[in-house]
């Protein structure tokens, strides 16, 4: 489905460009001179797409599971295609704002659905996973339309910094500011109710990152506002986290089912490291972790995982040790560009740069202990944020 949507998006983009050429009646050279700023189909764009695509192809060719690896390669191509569409289609600052509000609106929708389901007010049949997983599966956790509440937390931890970035930098009326504060606090409360320990840590680190950058930024005139918002967020979080379900969830770090405890995660990671050691050159192939991991399952766990519960480990396991170099390169390029954008005179450019960087910080923190980037919805959001953060706007 994602692949079809990306292909249709590309076709629509081509048709729209063709219509604009016909309407304007301009020559090819004139059209070229009016290409969107920032990352256009050229050297800069291929510095991002090229290494990722090459790594995926190499790993697929060398995979001991070629059929499944080819499916993973198709999925990777869909993500790269979506990244390309975001870069070339979101051209203006107005379109940039629209995308931010689409993300914020989607996050709010997920929270509303999650609250309705969490308190048994209204459970939509197509998002009710109780028949397959059991009535008590995640009954006390806010999961929205997701099966796993940790993945809901992954979406929120990327959306929250984006909303705060637009609020802190861009000038707005008092009414709009109040509305944005309420939206941000609503998302933060829902993040706490996901009972995702990784989500809590990721959101906290992202907020600390934003506050640190703003306080160290020369010429930023709203440092007192930032301090006030930080205190408000901390107080709200403490109130929510004082609830019994939250305290119970914290205790599962060392108690409860071994699959959900720190011991279980460490066991999965030990097996994944052994898997990386045996497949250093090219990994087992993209999307093959579930079938390649069983021989490396460490005794003590009754459940075979679908993911490594760590994107940082799963990517090298599936695509080889070269994945580490590619990840470091992409992270460097993204943050280098982001800090350059922070020096812009345009407040919106600063806000989007700060918000996207904080969102990436959040997902990187959470990816150390979970597999959010294995979930298509979260991977697409991550891809979109990277695309928006890397390009400039008219």
């Amino acid at each position: 489905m994602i692949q079809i949507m990306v292909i249709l998006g590309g076709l629509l983009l081509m048709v729209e460009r063709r219509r604009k050429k016909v309407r304007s009646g301009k020559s090819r050279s004139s059209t070229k001179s009016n290409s969107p700023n920032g990352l256009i189909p050229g050297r800069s764009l291929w510095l991002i797409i090229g290494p990722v695509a090459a790594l995926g192809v190499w790993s697929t060719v060398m995979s001991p599971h070629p059929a499944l690896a080819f499916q993973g390669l198709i999925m990777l191509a869909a993500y790269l295609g979506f990244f390309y569409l975001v870069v070339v289609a979101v051209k203006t600052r107005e379109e940039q704002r629209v995308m931010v509000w689409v993300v914020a609106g989607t996050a709010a929708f997920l929270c509303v659905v999650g609250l309705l389901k969490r308190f048994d007010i209204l459970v939509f049949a197509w998002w009710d996973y109780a028949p397959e997983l059991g009535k008590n599966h995640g009954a006390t956790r806010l999961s929205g339309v997701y099966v796993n509440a940790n993945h809901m937390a992954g979406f929120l931890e990327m959306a929250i910094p984006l909303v705060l970035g637009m609020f802190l930098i861009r000038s707005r009326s008092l009414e709009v500011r109040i509305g944005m504060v309420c939206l941000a606090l609503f998302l933060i409360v829902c993040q706490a109710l996901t009972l995702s320990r990784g989500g809590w840590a990721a959101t906290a680190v992202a907020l600390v990152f934003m506050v640190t950058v703003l306080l160290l930024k020369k010429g930023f005139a709203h440092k007192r506002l930032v301090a006030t918002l930080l205190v408000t967020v901390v107080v709200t979080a403490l109130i929510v986290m004082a609830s019994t379900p939250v305290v119970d969830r914290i205790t599962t770090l060392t108690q409860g089912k071994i699959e959900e405890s720190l011991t279980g995660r460490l066991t999965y990671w030990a097996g994944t490291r052994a898997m990386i050691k045996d497949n250093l050159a090219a990994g087992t192939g993209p999307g093959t972790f579930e079938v390649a991991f069983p021989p490396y399952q460490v005794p003590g766990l009754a459940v075979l995982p679908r993911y490594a519960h760590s994107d940082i480990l799963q990517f090298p396991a599936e695509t080889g040790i070269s994945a580490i170099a590619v990840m470091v390169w992409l992270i460097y390029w993204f943050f280098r560009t982001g800090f350059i954008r922070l020096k812009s005179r345009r407040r919106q450019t600063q806000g989007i740069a700060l918000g996207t960087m904080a969102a990436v910080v959040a997902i990187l923190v959470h990816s150390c202990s979970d597999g959010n980037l294995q979930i298509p919805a979260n991977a697409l959001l991550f891809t979109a944020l990277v695309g928006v953060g890397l390009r400039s706007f008219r």
Side-chain angles (χ1 to χ4, degrees):
M1 180 63 73
I2 294 175
Q3 293 88 334
I4 294 174
M5 292 176 62
V6 171
I7 292 172
L8 290 176
L11 292 175
L12 289 173
L13 183 62
M14 293 172 61
V15 170
E16 182 64 21
R17 284 190 168 186
R18 181 62 182 171
R19 288 177 61 185
K20 287 183 178 180
K21 288 182 180 180
V22 173
R23 287 178 180 177
S24 63
K26 294 181 179 180
S27 64
R28 183 178 301 179
S29 60
S30 176
T31 303
K32 183 177 179 180
S33 65
N34 285 303
S35 295
N37 297 325
L39 281 172
I40 59 177
R43 179 174 175 271
S44 297
L45 183 65
W46 296 114
L47 285 174
I48 303 298
I49 294 179
V52 178
L55 184 65
V57 171
W58 162 252
S59 179
T60 300
V61 170
M62 302 299 293
S63 174
H65 312 281
L68 191 59
F70 184 70
Q71 294 179 27
L73 182 63
I74 293 175
M75 197 67 181
L76 177 62
Y79 292 139
L80 293 176
F82 184 70
F83 170 78
Y84 173 85
L85 290 178
V86 171
V87 168
V88 301
V90 184
K91 302 181 295 294
T92 65
R93 287 185 292 163
E94 181 179 356
E95 291 168 345
Q96 188 185 37
R97 289 194 296 271
V98 169
M99 188 181 140
V100 170
W101 292 120
V102 167
V103 172
T106 303
F109 172 77
L110 292 174
C111 290
V112 170
V113 171
L115 289 171
L116 292 175
K117 188 165 74 170
R118 164 66 178 81
F119 295 103
D120 291 326
I121 299 174
L122 177 62
V123 180
F124 298 93
W126 51 89
W127 292 321
D128 183 14
Y129 308 108
E132 295 85 5
L133 303 175
K135 186 175 181 181
N136 294 325
H137 176 79
T140 62
R141 306 179 65 186
L142 195 73
S143 59
V145 303
Y146 290 87
V147 177
N148 190 327
N150 291 324
H151 302 150
M152 167 80 167
F155 192 99
L156 292 180
E157 72 200 22
M158 290 186 282
I160 291 169
L162 203 60
V163 174
L164 290 175
M166 290 291 287
F167 168 76
L168 291 172
I169 300 293
R170 185 173 170 80
S171 297
R172 298 182 182 279
S173 64
L174 178 61
E175 294 79 6
V176 174
R177 287 191 174 193
I178 293 175
M180 294 184 71
V181 169
C182 292
L183 174 60
L185 290 176
F186 174 66
L187 296 181
I188 290 171
V189 169
C190 291
Q191 177 69 302
L193 294 177
T194 63
L195 304 185
S196 170
R197 298 174 300 242
W200 297 340
T203 304
V205 172
L207 294 179
V208 170
F209 172 83
M210 295 185 76
V211 170
T212 302
V213 171
L214 288 173
L215 293 180
L216 294 178
K217 189 177 185 300
K218 295 180 180 180
F220 183 67
H222 303 292
K223 294 182 179 181
R224 186 175 299 177
L225 174 62
V226 170
T228 303
L229 284 175
L230 180 62
V231 171
T232 303
V233 169
V234 170
V235 171
T236 303
L238 290 175
I239 292 174
V240 174
M241 295 185 73
S243 64
T244 301
V246 174
V247 174
D248 291 341
R249 178 61 178 168
I250 294 174
T251 62
T252 62
L253 188 64
T254 55
Q255 304 173 15
K257 295 182 179 179
I258 187 171
E259 290 83 3
E260 297 179 358
S261 67
L262 180 60
T263 302
R265 295 293 172 91
L266 292 174
T267 305
Y268 289 139
W269 298 340
T272 306
R273 288 195 299 271
M275 183 175 164
I276 294 172
K277 185 178 179 181
D278 288 347
N279 300 274
L280 278 177
T284 60
T288 61
F289 181 86
E290 187 175 5
V291 298
F293 183 76
Y296 301 95
Q297 173 80 311
V298 179
L301 294 178
V303 179
L304 285 172
R306 295 183 61 191
Y307 312 114
H309 291 283
S310 171
D311 290 319
I312 305 300
L313 289 176
Q314 183 162 341
F315 289 143
E318 292 185 340
T319 58
I321 198 68
S322 300
I324 297 176
V326 172
M327 287 189 293
V328 170
W329 162 249
L330 295 179
I331 291 170
Y332 163 75
W333 186 269
F334 176 80
F335 282 97
R336 174 182 175 274
T337 304
F339 281 109
I340 291 174
R341 297 279 186 266
L342 276 177
K343 298 178 182 178
S344 172
R345 294 183 178 180
R346 294 172 174 173
R347 292 183 177 180
Q348 181 172 309
T349 300
Q350 297 176 30
I352 294 298
L354 180 61
T356 53
M357 283 196 296
V360 170
V361 167
I363 200 65
L364 287 177
V365 171
H366 202 169
S367 289
C368 292
S369 61
D370 221 323
N372 268 286
L373 294 181
Q374 310 303 320
I375 307 304
N378 292 2
L380 286 174
L381 176 58
F382 172 77
T383 303
L385 295 181
V386 171
V388 171
L390 280 172
R391 69 156 302 155
S392 58
F393 294 85
R394 293 195 294 257

